[in-house]
Amino acid sequence: MGSNIFLFVQYVFEAYYWLILISIFGSWFPQFHSSKIGSWISRVVDPYLGLFRRFIPPLGPIDFSPIIALFAFRFIRMFALEGLRQSLNVIGV
């Protein structure tokens, strides 16, 4: 049971990572965010990316905040999954 919980959370993190990437690459195409899938991805991902856009302003036409957000997400994922793994081991699931 514990391994199923761990795998599910791992897949959720992986799916969100890919949504962030799709949103970043979709920003290169103006019509992407006006499509149904693009607007849905934006609603899901923009709150997370917005945290980084507040503190890292764009340098001209280049916005580095999504790159920093991806690196931060990888660290958050790593620590969250390791914490979950240890928690599941402690409770014996």
Side-chain angles (χ1 to χ4, degrees):
M1 168 101 174
S3 64
N4 290 338
I5 294 170
F6 182 81
L7 283 175
F8 176 75
V9 172
Q10 187 176 12
Y11 288 141
V12 168
F13 271 111
E14 199 63 30
Y16 197 75
Y17 180 81
W18 282 103
L19 288 175
I20 293 170
L21 279 177
I22 291 169
S23 176
I24 291 169
F25 289 125
S27 69
W28 296 351
F29 305 99
Q31 66 275 19
F32 174 75
H33 290 289
S34 61
S35 69
K36 281 187 178 184
I37 188 89
S39 64
W40 180 81
I41 290 174
S42 293
R43 280 195 315 256
V44 172
V45 171
D46 280 349
Y48 175 71
L49 292 178
L51 296 172
F52 294 90
R53 288 185 177 130
R54 275 189 263 156
F55 299 109
I56 305 168
L59 299 173
I62 301 172
D63 185 10
F64 288 105
S65 62
I67 296 168
I68 305 301
L70 280 176
F71 285 125
F73 187 78
R74 280 299 192 188
F75 282 113
I76 292 167
R77 177 186 176 271
M78 181 179 61
F79 288 120
L81 289 176
E82 185 57 33
L84 178 62
R85 182 188 335 264
Q86 290 180 7
S87 298
L88 291 172
N89 284 338
V90 166
I91 61 174
V93 177

